[in-house]
Amino acid sequence: MRKALLFSVFLTNSLLMIFLSGCNRSTDPPVQSTDKNGQMKFIMIGTGGITGVYYPTGGAIAKFVNEKKDLYHINCMIETTGGSVSNVNAIMAGALQFGLVQSDRQYQAFKGMAEWKERGPQSDLRAVFSIYPESVTLMACEDSGIKTIQDLKGKRVNIGNPGSGQLQNSIDALEAAGIHYETELQAENIPAADAPLLIQDKKLDAFFYTVGHPSAAIHEALSGQRKMRFIPITNIEPLLTKCPFYARSVIPIKLYPKAQNEADVQTFGVKATLVTSAKVPAETVYAITREVFENFEEFKQLHPALQTLTKKGMLEGLSAPLHPGAIKYYQEAGLL
Ligand code: GLU
């Protein structure tokens, strides 16, 4: 069965890999400089797990900049990471130049909340653009009997690895349902990419993943013998009032024909955003921004989660200040 599962993941990912071939992953050998001065800048975008949507989105961004090596002298690579919180921290430490980060995590990092409470505001964090909506997604196995979030009590539930964006989202969802995650369920902290296999190996009953849709990880979870369903997260008015960075969201069930649900799934969500540091030069941020916006129609075709993007919408949902390199492009393009 594991073989069949892996094969299905291979199929799901093969589509993504077609366009990833246009960008350099961090494991690829550095491409030779074509710059007459021999000055090639290597920049790295932090993404998430390989079966999430950050990874192919990072690849799509890198593709366009890499196609213009002669103009920008930039070689853009993508890196798999633990997710939003890891990406912010690595950017602040100078280990990454860009990262895909949930809008709620961008807000919290810039204000010194949640994981950044002790370290304080990450005041060098800069926004580049926002991308697609991500939904706080809860999936459970049919044989676990879980039909509502309340049924998670006593079950083995992956709430997210430290470093992920979803860890705090899962805790918020559970607390909004009156469930104490440390005492009322068997909470696991494993990377989202590992959850589907652990589910099929009967080592988990349910998992949370804050992700855009459709996602390869969810397809993988639905491709095993153990049947699965999405669990709606409702009664969230107090949570939405308390946390301005959350909004209602819906997972269209037509994206996942193998799920046991019949109706679209109500939940809440955030936006995926691209962030950088104030220390990254303006010309680098300008190049990334310009190439994504100037190749907008092609960019939208590179992953189904990108299809509904609008240029105007990509300037919404940002809480850190815009980087001057991004501002330069938006002003030139009449978007600001
Ligand atoms: N939202 C997740 C996180 O920040 C990552 C989702 C993805 O990789 O698509 O950890």
Side-chain angles (χ1 to χ4, degrees), residues 22-232:
C23 74
N24 302 307
R25 275 156 282 138
S26 56
T27 45
D28 292 342
V31 174
Q32 287 307 304
S33 166
T34 51
D35 177 15
K36 58 183 180 333
N37 304 316
Q39 299 288 318
M40 181 67 85
K41 257 187 238 161
F42 290 89
I43 59 168
M44 189 81 85
I45 305 178
T47 62
I50 195 159
T51 50
V53 183
Y54 284 6
Y55 187 72
T57 301
I61 295 168
K63 172 185 188 291
F64 296 114
V65 189
N66 287 337
E67 281 171 1
K68 297 275 180 70
K69 280 201 180 82
D70 289 350
L71 177 65
Y72 298 119
H73 316 296
I74 291 175
N75 191 340
C76 188
M77 294 170 281
I78 58 173
E79 171 86 58
T80 58
T81 70
S84 291
V85 174
S86 301
N87 291 344
V88 168
N89 293 339
I91 292 168
M92 293 297 95
L96 293 174
Q97 288 67 48
F98 292 87
L100 275 310
V101 168
Q102 290 176 201
S103 50
D104 53 328
R105 302 324 220 131
Q106 184 187 137
Y107 178 97
Q108 291 164 336
F110 191 70
K111 291 197 183 286
M113 296 159 63
E115 275 90 336
W116 298 276
K117 214 169 186 165
E118 273 166 30
R119 263 178 282 177
Q122 304 298 297
S123 49
D124 270 352
L125 190 66
R126 293 291 176 269
V128 185
F129 46 72
S130 74
I131 321 176
Y132 56 84
E134 294 189 87
S135 294
V136 180
T137 306
L138 173 58
M139 293 202 82
C141 299
E142 275 301 75
D143 60 22
S144 67
I146 300 167
K147 290 271 193 295
T148 71
I149 191 165
Q150 294 296 334
D151 299 332
L152 291 179
K153 285 183 188 157
K155 304 288 192 205
R156 293 161 305 176
V157 184
N158 186 35
I159 61 171
N161 55 297
S164 70
Q166 62 264 11
L167 179 56
Q168 188 62 48
N169 305 145
S170 316
I171 294 170
D172 289 343
L174 289 163
E175 282 179 354
I179 301 169
H180 191 248
Y181 76 98
E182 281 170 315
T183 54
E184 291 185 283
L185 46 82
Q186 297 175 48
E188 302 290 345
N189 295 109
I190 58 164
D194 296 342
L197 270 183
L198 291 174
I199 283 273
Q200 295 301 334
D201 282 351
K202 302 204 165 161
K203 298 208 167 78
L204 276 178
D205 300 307
F207 67 85
F208 283 93
Y209 192 16
T210 302
V211 72
H213 293 287
S215 139
I218 305 295
H219 278 305
E220 183 186 356
L222 288 168
S223 300
Q225 276 178 354
R226 239 181 146 190
K227 300 283 168 248
M228 300 205 70
R229 71 166 54 235
F230 292 97
I231 308 298

